């Protein structure tokens, strides 16, 4: 609405507000929305942008006056970057983030600075997250490379874009204090944190993206799993470490502390430089649950002692304590209230899956909410959100916890641990660096322990390749009965078009013009299904056009082949991955998940496409 009278609800019908000349629109006039998004972190801001892009009227309220001031998550994986590409944000994020050359590896080092030359020496180094966009499997998986941008720098970009897409509908400094759901919607009480003014917002759906602080607990949702793995303290500081660091290609440095027996992680924060000369850093220290976390002064003293930084200039911006958990919500929804991000999972940072899953939750859910609100789908479609995201979440939490164990095993292999003897720790490292044949077994064990960390740093199968199981009838997929064939290793990604898989990446050339080459993902338009037929699949494409008109569902169709088709696929990537013959077709959902697949032609393609869409969209006819 504009200035004047607010929108009102008349028997469930949203009557737009009335413009009154000379009356300024006040922000708090908004009382009625289709979707209320609670929380302005990664999940909420992404949901807001996706809703706006689909023309859904939404309001985002977030309790704090601004985006997060805690560095928190930083690695943005390929699946997330594809979502940001859809939202027109990928280029900005890449420009602000770590160059590929500064994030091809992760490394382990023996302390940082100390009284002898072995301090700072490399213990091991392995490739990570696609080796700076050079690992062929990662390059082939997606048109978007993994990048790294701390949450404090990412969220302002998300916020600005969300505000551009929904002016006046992204409100920070507003906290939801009560929710009152009924059959037709939810009434939320929203408090202006600065003025204490309270307003009520009536929404047809509420997306709880508040990190699990209010919405989930208020709806009786409980978290299951281990809620006290360990405590972590993050110190964000400006300091010059150039003199002691090596390896500009290393993103995360795991500093083993032989003189203490524990370790500490260091990550560059940029913002301009990301190698050893990064201006800012975040230091992560861990504390067992039974050890009280020291106060700020003691944390900094501990950090300086651990790294040998004594009186080295360091401007500390922020010290944050957090509890590392491995928990999953028992329910992802309560009627018209749906939960996303940290509201449904909290997991260890090992693997960088927290923020990424928050953004990916929004991508799975928002098109479904829009389809229901726009009358294209039945409300049952929303049940598929939990059915699709919960199993993936459980997998992520297990993976992140397993990654911690792998880290600990590496240290154990060297005999490190709290209270271990410093002289013995150094002696072990020197045996490992040496070439005495008697130490070959130690060197082999250590090599193996570090190579095993690829489970965290080369986990393409988990990060990108995770699939939804179509055998669960609650999913928005059509099970074709083909047996599940998960890769034998979480590191392996096998692109394909089994229902539940993400649309595999391939390049296509419009009119065979290589200069206009685009990734097949770009063919999926906001909120619309895409039927991709083979070069001989004209009947499928025609059927899709007809069914789209009949059902009033957004559905595009295209034929892709190597020699013939509406679009030509260079090389063999698409032919290899499409999972159909030249006369087959796949139906791709708006979130680019394959919903249905026909390997060849059909007698009645129109009936088949209609049945697939009806099943996916839970349309009762
Ligand atoms: C200190 C710390 C370090 C972390 N480090 C890592 C890491 O290294 N790697 C990693 O993968 N993950 C990390 N995480 C986790 C990662 O940051 C989260 O997974 C991610 O932020 C989840 O995004 P979200 O949008 O779901 O929730 P959040 O980012 O928590 O956003 C929730 C939003 O909701 C708002 N809010 C809360 N209550 C209300 C209310 N009642 N009304 C309105 N708004 C409300 C909050 O102000 C906030 O803006 C870390 C988390 C913490 C706390």
């Amino acid at each position: 609405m504009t200035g004047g009278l607010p929108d009102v609800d008349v028997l469930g019908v949203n009557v737009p507000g009335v413009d009154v000349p000379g009356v300024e629109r006040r922000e708090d006039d908004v009382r009625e929305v289709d979707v209320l998004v609670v929380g302005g972190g990664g999940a909420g801001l992404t949901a807001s942008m996706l809703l706006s892009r689909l023309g859904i009227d939404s309001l985002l309220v977030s309790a704090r006056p601004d985006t997060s001031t805690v560095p928190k998550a930083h690695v943005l994986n390929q699946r997330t970057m594809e979502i940001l590409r859809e939202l027109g944000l990928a280029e900005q994020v890449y420009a602000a983030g770590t160059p590929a050359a500064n994030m091809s590896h992760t490394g382990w080092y023996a302390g940082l600075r100390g009284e002898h030359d072995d301090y700072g020496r490399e213990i091991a180094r392995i490739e990570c997250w696609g080796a700076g966009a050079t690992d062929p499997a990662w390059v082939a998986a997606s048109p978007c490379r993994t990048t790294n941008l701390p949450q404090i720098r990412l969220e302002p970009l998300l916020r600005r874009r969300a505000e551009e897409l929904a002016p006046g509908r992204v409100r920070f400094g507003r906290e939801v204090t009560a929710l009152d759901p009924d059959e037709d919607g939810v009434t939320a009480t929203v408090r202006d944190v600065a003025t204490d003014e309270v307003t009520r917002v009536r929404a047809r759906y509420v997306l709880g993206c508040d990190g699990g602080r209010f919405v989930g607990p208020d709806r009786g949702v409980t978290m299951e799993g281990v809620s006290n793995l360990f405590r972590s303290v993050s110190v964000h500081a400006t300091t010059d470490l150039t003199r002691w660091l090596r390896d500009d290609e290393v993103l995360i440095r795991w500093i083993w502390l032989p003189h203490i027996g524990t370790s500490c992680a260091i990550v560059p924060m940029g913002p301009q430089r990301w190698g050893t000369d990064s201006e800012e850093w975040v230091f992560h220290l861990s504390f067992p649950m039974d050890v009280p976390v020291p106060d700020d002064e003691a944390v900094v003293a501990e950090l300086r002692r651990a790294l040998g930084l004594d009186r080295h200039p360091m401007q500390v911006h922020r010290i944050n304590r957090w509890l590392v958990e491995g928990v999953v919500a028992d329910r992802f929804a309560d009627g018209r209230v749906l939960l996303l991000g940290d509201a449904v999972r909290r997991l260890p940072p090992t693997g960088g899956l927290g923020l990424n899953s928050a953004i990916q939750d929004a991508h799975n859910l928002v098109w479904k909410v829009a389809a229901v609100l726009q009358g294209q789908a039945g409300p049952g479609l929303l049940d598929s959100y939990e059915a699709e995201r919960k199993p993936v979440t459980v997998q992520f939490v297990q993976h992140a916890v397993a990654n911690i164990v792998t880290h600990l095993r590496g240290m154990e292999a060297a005999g490190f641990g709290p209270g271990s003897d410093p002289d013995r720790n150094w002696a072990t490292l020197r045996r490992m660096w040496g070439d005495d044949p008697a130490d070959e077994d130690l060197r082999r064990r250590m090599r193996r322990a570090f190579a095993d960390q690829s489970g965290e740093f080369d986990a393409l199968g988990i990060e990108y390749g995770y699939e939804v199981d179509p055998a669960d009838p609650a999913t928005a997929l059509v099970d074709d009965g083909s047996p599940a064939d998960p890769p034998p290793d979480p590191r392996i990604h096998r692109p394909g078009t089994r229902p539940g898989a993400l649309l595999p990446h391939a390049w296509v050339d419009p009119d065979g013009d290589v200069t206009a080459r685009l990734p097949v993902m770009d063919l999926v338009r906001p909120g619309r299904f895409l039927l991709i037929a083979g070069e001989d699949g004209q009947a499928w494409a025609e059927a899709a056009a007809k069914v789209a008109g009949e059902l009033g569902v957004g559905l595009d169709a295209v034929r892709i082949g190597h020699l013939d088709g509406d679009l030509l696929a260079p090389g063999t990537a698409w032919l290899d991955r499409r999972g159909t013959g030249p006369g087959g077709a796949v139906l791709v959902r708006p979130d680019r998940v394959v919903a249905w697949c026909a390997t060849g032609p059909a007698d009645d393609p129109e009936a088949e496409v209609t049945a697939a869409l009806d099943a996916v969209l839970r349309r009762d006819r």
Side-chain angles (χ1 to χ4, degrees):
M1 63 155 286
T2 53
L5 300 178
D7 301 349
V8 288
D9 183 32
V10 181
L11 298 175
V13 179
N14 182 6
V15 180
V18 180
D19 249 350
V20 177
V23 175
E24 276 292 296
R25 170 186 168 156
R26 285 196 309 117
E27 285 197 347
D28 288 331
D29 282 346
V30 176
R31 298 282 193 277
E32 177 99 16
V33 285
D34 281 333
V35 181
L36 175 67
V37 180
V38 184
L45 289 166
T46 305
S48 166
M49 291 185 281
L50 290 168
L51 286 162
S52 300
R53 220 173 49 130
L54 299 181
I56 300 297
D57 181 32
S58 72
L59 171 68
L60 181 150
V61 292
S62 197
R64 299 179 63 82
D66 206 344
T67 48
S68 176
T69 54
V70 181
K72 301 202 277 187
H74 48 95
V75 174
L76 300 172
N77 68 33
Q78 289 176 294
R79 216 155 157 155
T80 293
M81 288 310 298
E82 289 183 0
I83 298 168
L84 298 183
R85 176 187 169 95
E86 273 182 36
L87 290 165
L89 268 170
E91 287 315 312
Q92 274 182 60
V93 171
Y94 282 129
T98 306
N102 294 129
M103 57 176 296
S104 62
H105 288 73
T106 187
W108 288 260
Y109 299 86
L112 180 74
R113 179 194 185 206
E115 66 258 12
H116 53 73
D117 287 349
D118 283 339
Y119 274 93
R121 192 166 167 184
E122 181 185 309
I123 301 172
R125 190 162 26 131
I126 63 169
E127 289 180 349
C128 68
W129 294 305
T134 63
D135 182 312
W138 292 63
V139 173
S142 168
C144 302
R145 74 171 172 89
T146 300
T147 192
N148 180 76
L149 184 64
Q151 219 164 319
I152 52 167
R153 309 238 144 83
L154 173 72
E155 286 186 4
L157 299 180
L158 303 183
R159 178 178 176 177
R160 199 180 319 140
R161 184 83 179 118
E163 287 171 342
E164 274 167 20
L165 292 170
R169 295 300 180 111
V170 176
R171 312 268 182 81
F172 278 71
R174 280 153 176 97
E175 179 191 20
V176 169
T177 57
L179 291 173
D180 183 11
D182 56 49
E183 218 170 276
D184 305 319
V186 183
T187 304
T189 305
V190 181
R191 182 178 74 92
D192 183 320
V193 176
T195 64
D196 252 353
E197 187 189 340
V198 168
T199 54
R200 282 189 210 290
V201 175
R202 176 85 183 148
R204 292 175 69 190
Y205 291 97
V206 168
L207 306 191
C209 307
D210 64 342
R213 286 173 192 85
F214 172 75
V215 180
D218 180 71
R219 296 290 87 222
V221 171
T222 55
M223 304 301 284
E224 296 169 344
V226 186
S227 61
N228 53 359
L229 284 166
F230 59 90
R231 291 182 212 279
S232 183
V233 178
S234 310
V235 179
H236 172 204
T238 294
T239 188
D240 181 1
L241 302 178
T242 325
R243 259 179 293 166
W244 306 294
L245 295 181
R246 54 193 83 187
D247 308 328
D248 276 330
E249 67 276 28
V250 167
L251 180 68
I252 303 182
R253 289 175 170 76
W254 306 91
I255 312 291
W256 284 14
L257 305 164
H259 52 301
I260 302 174
T262 59
S263 72
C264 152
I266 309 186
V267 188
M269 290 278 298
Q272 304 300 329
R273 299 187 298 274
W274 296 91
T276 52
D277 57 351
S278 173
E279 308 93 306
E280 297 176 23
W281 295 87
V282 64
F283 303 86
H284 297 288
L285 302 167
S286 305
F287 296 87
M289 290 303 292
D290 54 356
V291 173
V293 176
D295 64 21
D296 283 3
E297 205 178 314
V299 164
V300 175
E302 166 86 9
L303 182 69
R304 286 183 175 281
R305 181 176 77 91
L307 298 179
L309 291 174
D310 305 324
R311 282 183 294 279
H312 181 66
M314 181 188 291
Q315 184 195 354
V316 175
H317 303 294
R318 181 84 200 246
I319 298 177
N320 198 268
R321 294 162 175 73
W322 57 300
L323 185 64
V324 178
E325 304 176 88
V327 292
V328 179
D330 63 339
R331 288 174 293 138
F332 282 34
D334 181 66
R336 289 173 174 268
V337 178
L338 298 126
L339 302 171
L340 296 82
D342 274 18
V344 286
R345 75 180 71 70
R346 290 189 288 278
L347 37 65
T350 34
L353 294 168
L355 175 62
N356 285 296
S357 2
I359 290 173
Q360 292 164 27
D361 284 345
H363 199 234
N364 179 288
L365 178 61
V366 164
W367 73 269
K368 295 174 180 173
V369 173
V372 172
L373 284 168
Q374 290 166 339
Q376 296 191 9
L381 176 60
L382 298 180
D383 296 341
S384 70
Y385 171 63
E386 176 177 314
E388 297 183 358
R389 291 304 288 170
K390 193 169 179 184
V392 171
T393 292
V394 170
Q395 198 185 356
F396 281 2
V397 172
Q398 287 167 343
H399 179 71
V401 173
N403 290 339
I404 298 179
V405 175
T406 313
H407 275 279
L408 293 176
R409 259 200 233 121
M411 296 190 78
E412 226 175 66
F416 273 56
S420 55
D421 176 27
D423 291 336
R424 198 170 151 269
N425 290 340
W426 278 116
T428 305
L429 290 177
R430 288 183 184 120
R431 284 169 55 210
M432 200 197 79
W433 286 319
D435 55 9
D436 186 338
D439 294 325
E440 190 44 42
D441 187 51
L442 170 72
R443 281 192 290 275
R444 188 193 51 76
R445 270 187 293 126
M446 297 299 293
R447 265 197 309 272
R448 196 174 184 288
F450 289 112
D452 198 24
Q453 308 265 355
S454 64
E456 174 177 349
F457 297 104
D458 192 16
L460 186 62
I462 289 275
E463 281 183 28
Y464 191 87
Y466 68 80
E467 295 183 9
V468 178
D469 183 0
D472 179 350
T475 61
L477 304 168
V478 181
D479 188 9
D480 60 8
S482 59
D485 183 23
D489 188 303
R491 287 165 270 230
I492 297 173
H493 167 46
R494 285 189 188 139
T497 55
R498 183 171 186 260
L502 191 65
L503 173 66
H505 169 51
W507 297 99
V508 288
D509 296 336
D511 303 321
D513 176 4
V514 291
T515 62
R517 180 164 294 183
L518 47 90
V520 71
M521 68 165 276
D522 283 6
L523 303 175
V524 183
R525 296 197 288 153
R528 298 177 69 83
F529 285 79
L530 175 68
L531 182 136
I532 306 179
E535 57 273 35
D536 297 340
Q538 187 61 31
W540 286 115
E542 284 166 8
K546 235 168 150 188
V547 171
E550 278 165 18
L551 302 189
V553 169
L555 169 62
D556 299 316
V558 65
R559 287 179 309 122
I560 302 178
H562 181 58
L563 298 176
D564 301 300
D566 306 318
L567 295 170
L568 300 183
T572 53
W574 179 249
L575 299 189
D576 183 36
R577 295 169 177 194
R578 69 182 177 184
T580 74
V586 295
L587 181 67
V588 183
R589 305 189 321 197
D591 60 351
R592 289 184 279 104
V593 168
V594 175
W596 162 94
C597 178
T599 52
D603 293 340
D604 188 349
E606 220 177 295
E608 297 231 4
V609 174
T610 304
L613 281 171
D614 279 347
V616 170
L617 293 172
R618 302 290 192 276
R619 294 164 61 97
D620 290 331
R621 292 195 302 147

